[in-house]
Amino acid sequence: MTTERIPQLKDFSAASLDAAFAALEAEARSEAAALATPGAVEAFRLEWLGRKQGRLNEISSLWLKSAPAEAKKLLGQRFNALKTAVEGLLDAALGAGPSNASLAAEAIDITLPGTRRLMGAEHPIIKTLNEIVGVFQALGYSVGVGPEVETDFYNFESMNFPPGHPARDTQDTLVIANQERRPLRDRLLLRTHTSPVQMRTMEQHAPPVRIVIPGKVHRNDAADATHSPIFHQVEGLCVDTNVTFSDLKGTLDHAMKALFGSAVKTRFFPSFFPFTEPSADVQISCIFCGGKGCRKCKHSGWIELLGCGMVDPAVFAFAAEKQPAYDSRKISGFAFGMGVERIAMMKYGVSEIGQFYSGEMKFLNQFA
Ligand code: DAH
């Protein structure tokens, strides 16, 4: 009884579909306009939207199923438009706002849990880095940064590692490929320390300077519990008239107390860095045993934490090429460099450096 209520479709072209659907919609409109009683409205609803015998249901089973694949999209769009139109007509005829059906389609289930946005937190390395920087900012230091892809000149030569010097072997790194045509000093590499930013800073600013430089550095080091080929450092540089080794000691002693607590003691051991003379390694009294001796400090009571020294006149000579005020007869300075991971591991009792890079929420959450 029903199929004749659905016109024959001669073809599935857009034009033919438009004509067929326009005719159906016009028919629905004229019927809807004539609805006078609640019974008529219900009959209209059944005729068009009835679940078993409604005309829309028939269109869907007769046309949509027989349509060639390429026409299905066109047909579907028109079908949906007709359905929306008929539902609108029914809503209007009911005079009671949107139908239950269209309300259901729009309904929001307010009992569903919302989309939870996790609160971010500073990574423990960044947190430690900021803490170190903050200690020096409080002393009046400014903060600088430099490039991670650095030239041989800034990373090595200007830091007094001459070409071919064996001190370079202690800081092997990745070099950028295909640079053989460039002079050695211009060749690019991943910086092995933040010290090159000392030179970049001095070239830009005449003394006095007091600056700390946090950043990422790279070494050809095998990863193990305490080494990672990528890690972070905070560099420091202070240049002025009459800066002495006592100033260096006082500054770093204060910084270590600020970072690890006022009970911590420091001591300075002779060491070597090409860019400082004299150079020292700074040790702090073991924060785990208070200096009595334990496994963590190898029963010495001391833990080595950073390198420092008085800026070598050879470094000032490179800076003086751009800023003549770096005349080592008139000014002096100290520098220091510390590993952020090492300090974070000490502060938080982390025994595997790799945990910092693991991305594991269980680990990271502890610092949030
Ligand atoms: N650049 C050194 C390193 O990566 C650390 C360092 C030592 C920096 C002494 C300094 C310094 O500024 O004076 O091993």
Side-chain angles (χ1 to χ4, degrees):
M1 95 169 209
T2 53
T3 45
E4 59 270 26
R5 298 190 306 163
I6 306 303
Q8 290 287 317
L9 254 196
K10 284 181 282 304
D11 64 81
F12 286 89
S13 67
S16 150
L17 290 173
D18 279 342
F21 278 94
L24 284 163
E25 188 175 331
E27 196 182 337
R29 279 189 193 288
S30 70
E31 282 181 21
L35 296 173
T37 64
V41 173
E42 177 58 9
F44 174 83
R45 186 187 71 76
L46 280 172
E47 179 197 349
W48 289 95
L49 300 171
R51 286 226 287 137
K52 292 215 173 100
Q53 311 217 309
R55 291 169 81 175
L56 282 161
N57 186 45
E58 280 164 32
I59 290 173
S60 143
S61 45
L62 289 176
W63 289 359
L64 268 173
K65 275 174 200 149
S66 57
E70 64 278 10
K72 284 210 197 291
K73 187 171 167 205
L74 283 179
L75 184 56
Q77 286 166 345
R78 283 158 181 76
F79 178 83
N80 288 333
L82 175 63
K83 187 166 178 216
T84 307
V86 173
E87 283 169 352
L89 290 169
L90 183 65
D91 287 346
L94 286 166
S99 69
N100 284 343
S102 60
L103 269 185
E106 277 179 26
I108 296 168
D109 181 350
I110 59 167
T111 66
L112 282 174
T115 313
R116 189 180 294 259
R117 282 185 191 269
L118 294 177
M119 187 84 97
E122 258 177 349
H123 188 278
I125 293 301
I126 298 302
K127 186 170 165 162
T128 307
L129 188 151
N130 286 337
E131 210 174 313
I132 299 167
V133 166
V135 167
F136 289 95
Q137 279 183 299
L139 294 175
Y141 281 64
S142 51
V143 185
V145 288
E148 256 177 76
V149 179
E150 187 53 284
T151 62
D152 186 277
F153 175 75
Y154 284 111
N155 195 79
F156 288 127
E157 194 178 341
S158 74
M159 287 292 109
N160 202 26
F161 299 71
H165 195 280
R168 289 182 171 226
D169 297 349
T170 64
Q171 299 197 5
D172 190 18
T173 185
L174 291 170
V175 300
I176 309 298
N178 302 323
Q179 302 186 90
E180 291 73 16
R181 280 181 295 110
R182 293 185 169 180
L184 177 65
R185 53 160 46 202
D186 296 336
R187 293 187 198 165
L188 298 169
L189 44 80
L190 301 188
R191 69 178 178 194
T192 58
H193 51 176
T194 42
S195 303
V197 194
Q198 290 186 27
M199 187 55 58
R200 291 184 173 275
T201 303
M202 290 190 281
E203 286 183 348
Q204 298 294 318
H205 303 280
V209 297
R210 284 170 181 73
I211 191 168
V212 279
I213 301 132
K216 201 178 283 179
V217 302
H218 304 253
R219 298 268 173 100
N220 180 13
D221 281 347
D224 64 21
T226 55
H227 292 84
S228 157
I230 305 176
F231 60 104
H232 299 78
Q233 290 185 330
V234 175
E235 188 80 18
L237 176 68
C238 168
V239 185
D240 205 337
T241 48
N242 300 316
V243 173
T244 67
F245 201 87
S246 302
D247 297 319
L248 170 59
K249 286 185 77 174
T251 302
L252 290 180
D253 186 70
H254 164 79
M256 294 303 114
K257 286 179 162 64
L259 288 172
F260 293 104
S262 54
V264 154
K265 296 193 185 72
T266 53
R267 68 179 189 180
F268 290 68
F269 257 59
S271 184
F272 172 77
F273 299 102
F275 37 91
T276 45
E277 181 61 31
S279 305
D281 283 330
V282 183
Q283 303 180 349
I284 63 168
S285 53
C286 180
I287 57 167
F288 302 104
C289 63
K292 288 190 203 67
C294 66
R295 264 188 37 207
K296 295 254 166 98
C297 59
K298 301 198 182 91
H299 303 284
S300 71
W302 296 90
I303 291 181
E304 197 170 299
L305 212 54
L306 69 146
C308 67
M310 301 305 292
V311 178
D312 195 298
V315 172
F316 282 142
F318 280 108
E321 291 176 15
K322 296 252 168 76
Q323 294 280 357
Y326 288 99
D327 178 344
S328 57
R329 290 164 304 183
K330 297 186 179 138
I331 47 92
S332 56
F334 62 74
F336 54 86
M338 57 190 98
V340 179
E341 277 78 352
R342 188 161 161 72
I343 292 175
M345 288 171 83
M346 299 257 312
K347 275 179 78 84
Y348 298 116
V350 173
S351 53
E352 283 275 340
I353 197 171
Q355 296 213 267
F356 289 128
Y357 318 119
S358 68
E360 274 208 46
M361 293 298 280
K362 268 192 199 157
F363 173 75
L364 296 172
N365 260 330
Q366 302 176 91
F367 306 93

